[in-house]
Amino acid sequence: MSGLGQSRAVSLVGLTGHVVEVQAHLAASVPGFTLVGLPDAALSEARDRVRAAVSSSGLSWPQRKITVNLAPAALPKSGSGFDLAIAVAMLAGARLVDASRVRDVVHLGELGLDGRLHPVRGVLPAVAAAVAAGFPDVVVPAPDVPEAQLVPGARVTGAATLAELAARYGADLDPVAVPDDPVVRPVPPLREPGGDLADVLGQPEARAALEVAAAGGHHLLLVGAPGTGKTMLASRLPGILPDLDEAAAVEVTAVHSVAGTFDASRGLVRRPPFEDPHHTATPAAVVGGGSGVPRPGAASRAHRGVLFLDEAPEFGGRVLDTLRQPLEHGEIVVHRAGGTARFPARFQLVLAANPCPCGLAVGKGLDCTCTPLARRRYLARLSGPLLDRVDVQVEVHPVRAVDRGQVGESTAVVGRRVAQARAAAAERLRGTPWRLNAEVPGRWLRDRLGPGLLGDVDRALERGTLSLRGADRVVRLAWTLADLAGRPAPERGDVGRALALRVRGGHRA
């Protein structure tokens, strides 16, 4: 006698979830287990995990030909998160559980050989996709319940073992002892740089540039000798950024859920994330990808936060050039033979660099041992197209003895000004798809400037010290400076200061 059982699962491609119908057909034929529907290697191994988990749970394994189809068949499926749905569909087809109760329930979870449910990545976006598709009833491993419950409208059920879940669905279990302690997946903590902006001694120009970058969401380049405070300044940037709103918090949390760096016990990620990969990182580590299932890289994990590249010229050229796409479009697209994965990546890029390989080419550069050619080659590793997308470019000078006793403003004080400036920009941009000055097209901002304000910008264009893209970024900076000063529109002084922040040392920007 044949039987058919059905359940639901979710396939994640990037952050996009697709509800998958899991169909299990049991036929009176030579016993076997076949899994079809474009499973990857990890998913193909579900046959052995499901068989062992069912036997360990005190349930009888059907001695029939079992065929499991994952529909739609043309959609690539990956990972071990389908294990639970496959097991439930197979038990329903064998009439070991009530088939009508599991048909439209989404089951997410990996099965251990002892029948316990292991937590999986990407529960938040997967549950959100299920609810959006009209399947609000979701079963997840017990440790994933807090994360799944963050999705509005989801009716979440947690289970520690397959035996526990099968009993709820009406299975008649043999008295077999199954461990019921939930499996806990260790989660690396999100990077939250500490310290206060008041710790930075002196550096009034660099501190001001940091505030402007925070207020408008602008990218930042810091060039200076070792020990001048570039890394300290960059690590203080997330602290002066405001908390994420609800929509941004959900986006960021979904990214970290897929990346496996989200701790559901702390709720949604409300603070802007901070990522600082080492200069030996590969392109896949920074922008995402890798073999098999594409995973978000540091750039996506920094979504709505800060991506800091210390010693930026030491990064590989391929790594730096792959950042152009997210800097322009705010997302990363990873192409694979089996499909395309998209990850959001609207971050603030902060680059820190020495002026030369030895780092001593500051001031008159009398202590520098590098040749002029070596100096040019060093900073030339930061390509022109990349630097053209960096709005604020400043030199960080050594702190003088007279500045060492000066205590600057704290993170809280500067953060309040940044929040006020962002609120002013949000009010001006209400009804548009943009939220920060750094995102607004230059033409939209230029049309709202008073006459004759861009004379200095036009002259910089004629001299070749500014590109057309750079001119737009100067206009964006001018609006941010006006927002910080509480003015409704930029004045000539704002444009001049924006030009100074953009054109570092008279070099072409």
Side-chain angles (χ1 to χ4, degrees):
M1 185 178 82
S2 64
L4 179 66
Q6 298 182 19
S7 181
R8 308 278 175 172
V10 176
S11 175
L12 282 177
V13 182
L15 293 188
T16 304
H18 305 272
V19 175
V20 174
E21 183 177 359
V22 181
Q23 306 166 332
H25 181 265
L26 284 73
S29 180
V30 178
F33 194 121
T34 302
L35 182 62
V36 296
L38 285 184
D40 71 346
L43 180 50
S44 296
E45 294 169 351
R47 295 186 295 255
D48 300 314
R49 290 193 296 270
V50 170
R51 183 190 295 269
V54 168
S55 300
S56 298
S57 301
L59 294 158
S60 59
W61 182 262
Q63 297 302 314
R64 286 184 274 176
K65 171 64 176 177
I66 302 173
T67 303
V68 177
N69 178 45
L70 307 176
L75 176 70
K77 292 91 177 175
S78 59
S80 57
F82 290 82
D83 289 2
L84 183 58
I86 292 173
V88 170
M90 188 275 298
L91 293 175
R95 303 296 188 265
L96 296 176
V97 300
D98 187 347
S100 63
R101 295 176 58 185
V102 305
R103 178 185 180 91
D104 292 325
V105 179
V106 174
H107 295 85
L108 306 173
E110 175 185 332
L111 286 174
L113 301 184
D114 57 359
R116 288 188 295 174
L117 297 186
H118 293 247
V120 292
R121 295 181 177 184
V123 168
L124 179 68
V127 174
V131 173
F135 300 97
D137 294 305
V138 182
V139 176
V140 298
D144 287 331
V145 169
E147 181 176 346
Q149 289 176 335
L150 294 174
V151 179
R155 297 192 288 264
V156 181
T157 301
T161 66
L162 178 62
E164 172 191 342
L165 184 61
R168 293 180 192 173
Y169 288 146
D172 184 15
L173 293 176
D174 295 332
V176 176
V178 180
D180 58 0
D181 52 314
V183 180
V184 179
R185 183 186 69 222
V187 178
L190 282 177
R191 177 74 185 278
E192 294 184 359
D196 196 283
L197 195 56
D199 300 334
V200 180
L201 301 178
Q203 305 295 3
E205 296 87 359
R207 289 171 59 98
L210 197 73
E211 182 176 342
V212 171
H218 305 286
H219 307 304
L220 175 65
L221 169 65
L222 302 170
V223 179
T228 53
K230 302 186 297 296
T231 302
M232 180 179 286
L233 283 163
S235 65
R236 268 55 175 181
L237 178 56
I240 62 177
L241 297 177
D243 288 342
L244 303 175
D245 60 27
E246 193 72 17
V250 171
E251 287 180 352
V252 173
T253 303
V255 171
H256 287 274
S257 174
V258 173
T261 56
F262 171 57
D263 184 359
S265 64
R266 304 177 61 181
L268 292 175
V269 179
R270 299 287 183 180
R271 291 297 304 154
F274 179 79
E275 292 287 334
D276 56 344
H278 191 261
H279 62 77
T280 57
T282 63
V286 175
V287 299
S291 60
V293 183
R295 295 293 184 191
S300 289
R301 296 196 302 272
H303 180 57
R304 300 298 181 190
V306 177
L307 176 65
F308 175 46
L309 303 186
D310 200 5
E311 304 293 344
E314 300 296 339
F315 280 80
R318 288 184 57 215
V319 174
L320 296 174
D321 287 339
T322 52
L323 293 175
R324 295 188 205 171
Q325 181 194 50
L327 289 179
E328 283 293 324
H329 305 294
E331 71 171 358
I332 289 173
V333 183
V334 181
H335 296 279
R336 290 291 181 269
T340 300
R342 295 178 179 271
F343 299 105
R346 194 168 294 282
F347 53 83
Q348 280 188 253
L349 177 64
V350 179
L351 304 173
N354 294 327
C356 66
C358 76
L360 300 178
V362 293
K364 295 182 179 180
L366 299 179
D367 296 328
C368 178
T369 59
C370 304
T371 64
L373 181 60
R375 297 182 192 180
R376 287 195 299 270
R377 283 181 174 173
Y378 183 72
L379 286 180
R381 297 177 186 174
L382 302 177
S383 67
L386 175 65
L387 290 182
D388 208 28
R389 291 167 168 83
V390 179
D391 301 9
V392 182
Q393 305 181 18
V394 295
E395 294 184 352
V396 184
H397 301 285
V399 178
R400 299 174 300 174
V402 68
D403 296 329
R404 294 178 61 185
Q406 298 179 359
V407 178
E409 292 178 316
S410 67
T411 292
V413 172
V414 177
R416 283 193 291 270
R417 286 202 300 268
V418 169
Q420 292 170 359
R422 287 199 170 197
E427 180 65 26
R428 181 174 61 253
L429 299 174
R430 180 181 296 179
T432 72
W434 313 297
R435 48 196 295 167
L436 297 171
N437 289 329
E439 303 171 1
V440 184
R443 180 179 179 181
W444 194 91
L445 293 175
R446 283 196 304 272
D447 292 344
R448 287 155 178 78
L449 286 177
L453 287 182
L454 297 180
D456 292 338
V457 175
D458 293 338
R459 284 187 286 274
L461 279 170
E462 293 174 359
R463 292 194 302 267
T465 58
L466 200 66
S467 68
L468 286 173
R469 182 189 284 119
D472 284 346
R473 295 180 183 272
V474 168
V475 175
R476 296 173 182 174
L477 284 171
W479 277 98
T480 299
L481 290 167
D483 291 337
L484 282 169
R487 288 188 284 270
E491 299 177 351
R492 190 176 184 87
D494 296 322
V495 176
R497 188 181 170 201
L499 190 60
L501 287 171
R502 171 69 187 182
V503 182
R504 175 177 53 86
H507 298 292
R508 190 178 190 278

